[in-house]
Amino acid sequence: MNVDTNILPIINLENISQILLANIPQDDLLGQLIILKGQFILVEREGKESKYKFLSPEAVEKAFTSKTAASGWLSSNTIWWGKNPEGEAIIQFYSPQKYQIQIMGQETEVMTVPMPAFLFAGCGSRYYLWAVKGRVFKPDAQLYKPPLANVWEDSSICFGGNSLSMCSAATISQVWDLFWKSPFNKDLSQGKSKTHPDNICNQLIKLHESKAKSYPSSDLVPVHSWKVTTPEDIINHLFS
């Protein structure tokens, strides 16, 4: 019979804990923490007397956290920062402005095109883009599909073969620059415009040639997702 000597023996933590507690000198037992629903009770010994103190979950968390969590310096465009099991999650807001873009297959190498306001978000290695109306960020604003190709139906960005950094306060601005510097093709160009539903690239070419000053907000197509239709939904459903 073959015996696998690499298998560690099963440790009974309950028995070990009972043995340790039974052998702790009473003078070394300084207190106990009693866990209730939404509340903690700290029992401390001072000499022969015991003192009781109610603690909130936040106070207990702070006491057991040895390191301070910090985001690092945030850019002026960042409106929300968080952390979940996938890593850092960040949402940025960019007001309406003109961008220089390149569409593969077009004679004009670089076009200058006005764009609506954008919400750009990242979490882990995934990045998303939505359009919003207006110039000021509102947490309850309606989200719209970005009038650009290379963005999936769920608003996640297709970066092709580009290598992306994990989202962080230090890297998200670099990913934003990479998005605009990379040439667009005509993939995922459908359903992004009311006037040009078959190909958003035709709308962008028209805006460039007419030297339009702003993107027509009436042309934006609302996001159809039943979960994520506002910035609040991004936090509650996408990054929770």
Side-chain angles (χ1 to χ4, degrees):
M1 180 177 68
N2 295 327
V3 179
D4 191 346
T5 58
N6 293 323
I7 298 177
L8 295 174
I10 298 175
I11 300 175
N12 191 319
L13 295 178
E14 182 179 357
N15 289 342
I16 293 175
S17 299
Q18 291 177 351
I19 293 171
L20 289 174
L21 289 172
N23 289 277
I24 294 176
Q26 290 298 307
D27 291 340
D28 291 343
L29 188 59
L30 302 178
Q32 293 176 309
L33 187 64
I34 301 174
I35 303 174
L36 305 174
K37 286 186 177 181
Q39 186 69 65
F40 294 83
I41 299 176
L42 177 63
V43 184
E44 295 179 295
R45 288 186 58 186
E46 291 188 5
K48 295 182 179 181
E49 297 183 356
S50 296
K51 291 188 176 182
Y52 300 85
K53 182 187 297 183
F54 285 94
L55 299 175
S56 66
E58 292 77 15
V60 174
E61 179 184 12
K62 184 177 180 180
F64 282 94
T65 303
S66 58
K67 294 183 179 180
T68 299
S71 65
W73 296 112
L74 299 175
S75 73
S76 58
N77 296 102
T78 299
I79 53 176
W80 186 87
W81 179 92
K83 205 167 188 180
N84 62 27
E86 294 186 47
E88 292 184 44
I90 298 174
I91 302 175
Q92 294 187 318
F93 175 78
Y94 290 87
S95 60
Q97 57 188 288
K98 291 184 177 181
Y99 294 87
Q100 289 189 328
I101 66 173
Q102 182 179 358
I103 299 177
M104 297 174 62
Q106 293 301 128
E107 294 182 2
T108 303
E109 291 189 1
V110 178
M111 300 189 299
T112 301
V113 181
M115 283 284 143
F118 284 125
L119 280 182
F120 178 58
C123 181
S125 60
R126 297 174 293 120
Y127 294 87
Y128 301 85
L129 187 66
W130 296 269
V132 291
K133 293 182 178 181
R135 304 189 64 86
V136 179
F137 170 73
K138 296 179 180 179
D140 59 348
Q142 166 70 49
L143 298 180
Y144 295 85
K145 296 181 180 181
L148 291 163
N150 306 131
V151 179
W152 293 94
E153 185 67 23
D154 66 354
S155 296
S156 61
I157 299 173
C158 175
F159 281 92
N162 289 315
S163 179
L164 300 179
S165 303
M166 292 291 286
C167 181
S168 71
T171 62
I172 191 169
S173 294
Q174 298 170 8
V175 177
W176 176 252
D177 291 339
L178 174 64
F179 174 71
W180 290 106
K181 289 178 181 178
S182 302
F184 292 87
N185 56 32
K186 297 182 180 181
D187 292 344
L188 307 174
S189 60
Q190 298 80 24
K192 307 290 182 63
S193 163
K194 290 182 179 179
T195 57
H196 297 78
D198 295 330
N199 191 342
I200 184 60
C201 296
N202 293 333
Q203 168 73 315
L204 302 182
I205 295 170
K206 176 182 176 182
L207 294 173
H208 167 72
E209 292 177 346
S210 65
K211 298 182 180 180
K213 295 183 178 180
S214 61
Y215 192 92
S217 59
S218 59
D219 190 55
L220 295 174
V221 178
V223 168
H224 298 307
S225 170
W226 66 274
K227 278 188 176 181
V228 180
T229 59
T230 70
E232 287 283 3
D233 295 334
I234 301 172
I235 300 170
N236 296 331
H237 297 291
L238 205 57
F239 291 167
S240 60

